[in-house]
Amino acid sequence: MKIAVMGGDGFIGWPTSLHLSDAGHDVHILDNLSRRWIDTELGVQSLTPMDSIQERTRIWHAETGRRIHFNLIDLAKDYELLKNWLSEHRPDAVIHFAEQRAAPYSMKSDRHKNYTVNNNVSATHNLLNALTELNLDAHLIHLGTMGVYGYSTVGAAIPEGYLPVGIETAGGETVNQEILYPSNPGSIYHMTKCLDQLLFQFYARNDGLRVTDLHQGIVWGTHTEQTRRHAQLINRFDYDGDYGTVLNRFLIQAAIGYPLTVHGTGGQTRAFIHIQDSVRCIELALKNPPARGARVEIFNQMTETHRVRDLAEMIARMSGAKIAWLPNPRKEAAENELIVRNEKFRDLGLDPITLEAGLLGEIVDVAKKFAYRVDRARVPAVSAWTKDIAATINHDPEGKRLKSVS
């Protein structure tokens, strides 16, 4: 197939592009390189050294003989450019990663909130609008988040997108329906993914677009089979307080002797998936598209759930690292359960990589190898969800700053 990967220079987009190219597909990356500009804004770099997208694709061609094409397009701003590209190339499938992906970054300030909403929602709508205008029957696969469900405890497993409900009619009878699981976003970033859901529902129903929405858990790990083939194909690894996902941050903290930073009680239960499984899931979704006119297909793209404190204790046992208990910068419940259904990918043949099996290798192969590139000052999570919470943030988990003498 000819596949357009929107945001193909990113953390999930790059290994997905390699995986699909390796499988024989004709891959075209569309990206505005905004994640690289955000690195510059924040003054922090990927733990792993990353070459330009042009150099990355050159190395891939040299290693495999296969080409990945790169197009510099901003989906949120360059609507006509996007539409013209789609009109010319008419891809069979479009994989949409082109959104600002970090909840903490989306909560840093009013400017960051505006950017996240403008970028994410406009990118999604521009893409749907262009596909409709061109009558392009491409299968759209979107990388969403488990965070659309929220993290409240209801005592029942979260279904894959749709919730069966009984509605009492005026005549006293009960009518059964399936509705979208109620959205409960925990950040501006998560809110944009909830808005994406509604856009997909409308365009699938109104215009017959074929859409698969992947509600993904927290991704951990760095390498996939393809990124291991050459040093310059390595994926990015974020460890900072804004973009470093909790497990990857624990890995780098363990590698450099930094205390594992657990916020609040550490009772937040989260869903997780390894980067290799993430790209496998995207390929499985690609092979199983919904029919034209069908409702949006929704998968829960995760493989296991863990409490944050249990993860910290697991890594502390493996590495000898200490744990620092800090105030929580997020506005969320101190404790929550999370039971998630993910039978669809299991039924399609996914055999997941487990945390216990893969963690130690990540600490040794990636975190320790590149530990010299870490800026310790960028490790703490300091973006607060409210102004009141901001006053409680611990900016110095290591306790190394000079203290005044009374």
Side-chain angles (χ1 to χ4, degrees):
M1 287 190 283
K2 179 183 284 188
I3 302 173
V5 182
M6 313 300 189
D9 187 48
F11 175 52
I12 311 293
W14 175 243
T16 299
S17 298
L18 297 185
H19 185 85
L20 295 178
S21 177
D22 203 30
H25 299 291
D26 179 16
V27 175
H28 297 252
I29 290 175
L30 281 68
D31 202 304
N32 68 349
L33 306 182
S34 60
R35 183 65 191 88
R36 294 175 185 258
W37 285 107
I38 290 172
D39 276 346
T40 302
E41 174 204 346
L42 297 177
V44 66
Q45 62 185 347
S46 165
L47 176 73
T48 50
M50 285 170 50
D51 287 320
S52 69
I53 185 63
Q54 292 88 348
E55 179 67 3
R56 282 171 138 185
T57 55
R58 185 189 71 80
I59 292 293
W60 177 249
H61 179 248
E63 288 292 306
T64 66
R66 303 199 61 84
R67 291 198 182 277
I68 295 176
H69 308 275
F70 170 65
N71 306 270
L72 184 64
I73 298 178
D74 189 325
L75 267 65
K77 296 178 180 178
D78 300 334
Y79 175 73
E80 292 299 330
L81 196 60
L82 169 65
K83 188 170 74 168
N84 290 340
W85 188 92
L86 291 170
S87 177
E88 178 184 352
H89 293 275
R90 302 194 74 83
D92 302 296
V94 176
I95 305 177
H96 177 24
F97 301 116
E99 296 181 89
Q100 193 291 107
R101 68 173 176 83
Y105 184 85
S106 77
M107 302 298 290
K108 286 182 77 67
S109 70
D110 55 349
R111 180 175 66 83
H112 293 88
K113 292 175 183 178
N114 282 341
Y115 169 74
T116 302
V117 171
N118 293 338
N119 181 80
N120 292 8
V121 180
S122 293
T124 297
H125 186 259
N126 282 349
L127 179 56
L128 293 167
N129 199 10
L131 292 172
T132 300
E133 182 66 20
L134 296 169
N135 194 28
L136 179 53
D137 184 28
H139 177 201
L140 173 59
I141 299 174
H142 172 254
L143 192 68
T145 171
M146 288 293 301
V148 301
Y149 300 124
Y151 297 105
S152 59
T153 298
V154 296
I158 294 175
E160 299 203 74
Y162 298 98
L163 180 69
V165 297
I167 301 172
E168 187 175 338
T169 67
E173 299 175 344
T174 299
V175 176
N176 294 318
Q177 271 191 302
E178 280 197 321
I179 63 171
L180 268 182
Y181 194 90
S183 299
N184 188 20
S187 72
I188 293 294
Y189 157 73
H190 292 105
M191 184 193 71
T192 64
K193 296 291 190 176
C194 295
L195 296 174
D196 286 344
Q197 274 199 133
L198 296 178
L199 289 169
F200 298 141
Q201 294 290 323
F202 174 80
Y203 275 96
R205 184 182 67 251
N206 193 69
D207 299 291
L209 293 192
R210 295 184 294 135
V211 181
T212 298
D213 199 8
L214 306 176
H215 291 172
Q216 181 161 262
I218 295 170
V219 181
W220 63 281
T222 310
H223 282 301
T224 63
E225 179 186 341
Q226 289 75 32
T227 64
R228 290 183 184 276
R229 292 188 182 177
H230 192 283
Q232 288 174 271
L233 296 176
I234 196 166
N235 198 23
R236 70 176 302 122
F237 185 115
D238 298 307
Y239 65 87
D240 61 288
D242 286 320
Y243 273 89
T245 57
V246 62
L247 189 47
N248 275 3
R249 292 180 66 243
F250 284 168
L251 294 175
I252 191 60
Q253 287 169 343
I256 67 172
Y258 197 104
L260 308 182
T261 51
V262 177
H263 297 101
T265 66
Q268 309 93 335
T269 305
R270 297 289 189 259
F272 294 89
I273 185 169
H274 189 272
I275 185 71
Q276 179 71 74
D277 287 336
S278 183
V279 301
R280 285 179 185 145
C281 285
I282 290 161
E283 184 180 23
L284 288 171
L286 191 66
K287 292 178 177 178
N288 295 272
R292 190 167 177 88
R295 72 178 183 180
V296 176
E297 183 68 73
I298 298 176
F299 291 81
N300 288 339
Q301 188 162 303
M302 49 73 64
T303 55
E304 52 192 318
T305 60
H306 294 276
R307 288 192 188 278
V308 170
R309 62 171 171 259
D310 295 338
L311 285 177
E313 288 164 1
M314 182 193 307
I315 294 172
R317 287 194 302 272
M318 288 179 175
S319 64
K322 299 190 183 322
I323 299 175
W325 302 88
L326 305 177
N328 193 350
R330 301 185 181 219
K331 188 173 184 178
E332 62 182 354
E335 305 269 335
N336 77 286
E337 302 293 335
L338 186 63
I339 309 167
V340 183
R341 299 188 63 172
N342 68 340
E343 289 91 345
K344 289 184 181 179
F345 277 131
R346 296 271 188 175
D347 292 345
L348 291 174
L350 179 67
D351 182 19
I353 297 168
T354 62
L355 285 170
E356 290 279 10
L359 278 178
L360 194 57
E362 289 287 344
I363 294 174
V364 173
D365 295 344
V366 178
K368 286 191 175 180
K369 180 178 179 180
F370 296 108
Y372 69 93
R373 290 171 55 85
V374 173
D375 178 354
R376 300 177 84 96
R378 303 296 180 177
V379 173
V382 296
S383 293
W385 262 231
T386 69
K387 289 182 171 61
D388 290 339
I389 292 174
T392 70
I393 298 296
N394 185 335
H395 291 255
D396 184 28
E398 292 188 286
K400 289 188 172 182
R401 293 186 181 175
L402 291 173
K403 298 177 176 61
S404 62
V405 180
S406 59

